[in-house]
Amino acid sequence: GNSVTQMEGPVTLSEEAFLTINCTYTATGYPSLFWYVQYPGEGLQLLLKATKADDKGSNKGFEATYRKETTSFHLEKGSVQVSDSAVYFCALSEGSRDDKIIFGKGTRLHILP
Amino acid sequence: GAVVSQHPSRVICKSGTSVKIECRSLDFQATTMFWYRQFPKQSLMLMATSNEGSKATYEQGVEKDKFLINHASLTLSTLTVTSAHPEDSSFYICSASGGTLPEAFFGQGTRLTVV
């Protein structure tokens, strides 16, 4: 079945450091891929998405590229801020509107000032 | 993007009582809604999938008589936790999908505390 594997946290970085959170997936078809972010005490927000191979999703300085050959969708940011401290979830969907979202376990990110 | 409103954001109830959580899509027709539960410092666990006008499909291990889901219209789904117990205390999040976009949109979540 479909699944998502992402690096375990917590990840602790200093402000302005480079961030990579790894995410790989297994899927039978051609899924859409997402990164969701959950700030402390809040629900989930869509951070970025990519719907086909080689697409790059980007938002708020974060980027992720849909790599079909390596079945990966790693999240990157060149210079993190304290306000980026949150839990990040990699997710996939087969893309049909009724299809459920399958999440990774989440990676907690702490940014130190 | 599309907006999903979940209410209440926090609720405290006594053990043995029932609690209803509402999930509304404000600007699109949500043909499918999902309910998730999140334990502290853990990932999201899908509880059930509901399609408008149909019975919900529950994931394995989720008690359908305890977590009643109703999706009576294209803009509203409700989750009722019946005879709540302290172990039901958790963060519940709904999401809705519909239209042509592949992603789901999430409500703000409900923090349920059963005392």
Side-chain angles (χ1 to χ4, degrees), chain A residues 32-39 42-51 57-60 62 73 75 87-93 101 103, chain B residues 1-2 44 93 95-96 101-107:
Chain A
S32 295
L33 302 174
F34 311 92
W35 278 98
Y36 285 88
V37 58
Q38 185 178 29
Y39 296 102
E42 299 183 16
L44 288 172
Q45 301 175 27
L46 177 67
L47 180 60
L48 53 84
K49 68 179 180 184
T51 57
S58 61
N59 185 26
K60 299 183 180 180
F62 291 90
F73 193 55
L75 182 68
V87 181
Y88 293 82
F89 293 92
C90 185
L92 71 80
S93 167
I101 304 280
F103 288 92
Chain B
L44 297 154
I93 304 176
S95 74
L101 296 175
E103 69 265 32
F105 299 93
F106 286 83

Side-chain angles (χ1 to χ4, degrees), chain A residues 32 34 36 38 42-44 46 49 51 89 97-101 103-105 108, chain B residues 31-32 34 36 38 41 43-44 46 51 59 91 93 97 99 102-104 106 108:
Chain A
S32 295
F34 311 92
Y36 285 88
Q38 185 178 29
E42 299 183 16
L44 288 172
L46 177 67
K49 68 179 180 184
T51 57
F89 293 92
R97 66 180 187 185
D98 292 347
D99 205 13
K100 59 186 130 184
I101 304 280
F103 288 92
K105 292 188 176 181
R108 186 172 297 275
Chain B
T31 51
T32 307
F34 306 89
Y36 295 84
Q38 186 179 31
K41 299 185 179 181
S43 186
L44 297 154
L46 178 64
N51 291 294
E59 296 298 302
F91 193 59
I93 304 176
S97 64
E103 69 265 32
F106 286 83
Q108 305 92 320

Side-chain angles (χ1 to χ4, degrees), chain A residues 17-92:
Chain A
F18 184 87
L19 168 71
T20 300
I21 300 178
N22 290 337
C23 172
T24 57
Y25 67 91
T26 57
T28 53
Y30 300 92
S32 295
L33 302 174
F34 311 92
W35 278 98
Y36 285 88
V37 58
Q38 185 178 29
Y39 296 102
E42 299 183 16
L44 288 172
Q45 301 175 27
L46 177 67
L47 180 60
L48 53 84
K49 68 179 180 184
T51 57
K52 62 183 188 298
D54 299 325
D55 269 2
K56 177 187 282 188
S58 61
N59 185 26
K60 299 183 180 180
F62 291 90
E63 292 183 340
T65 301
Y66 190 142
R67 301 282 187 205
K68 195 171 187 304
E69 64 275 15
T70 54
T71 61
S72 64
F73 193 55
H74 305 320
L75 182 68
E76 297 182 336
K77 186 172 184 180
S79 178
V80 291
Q81 306 299 313
V82 173
S83 56
D84 294 327
S85 298
V87 181
Y88 293 82
F89 293 92
C90 185
L92 71 80

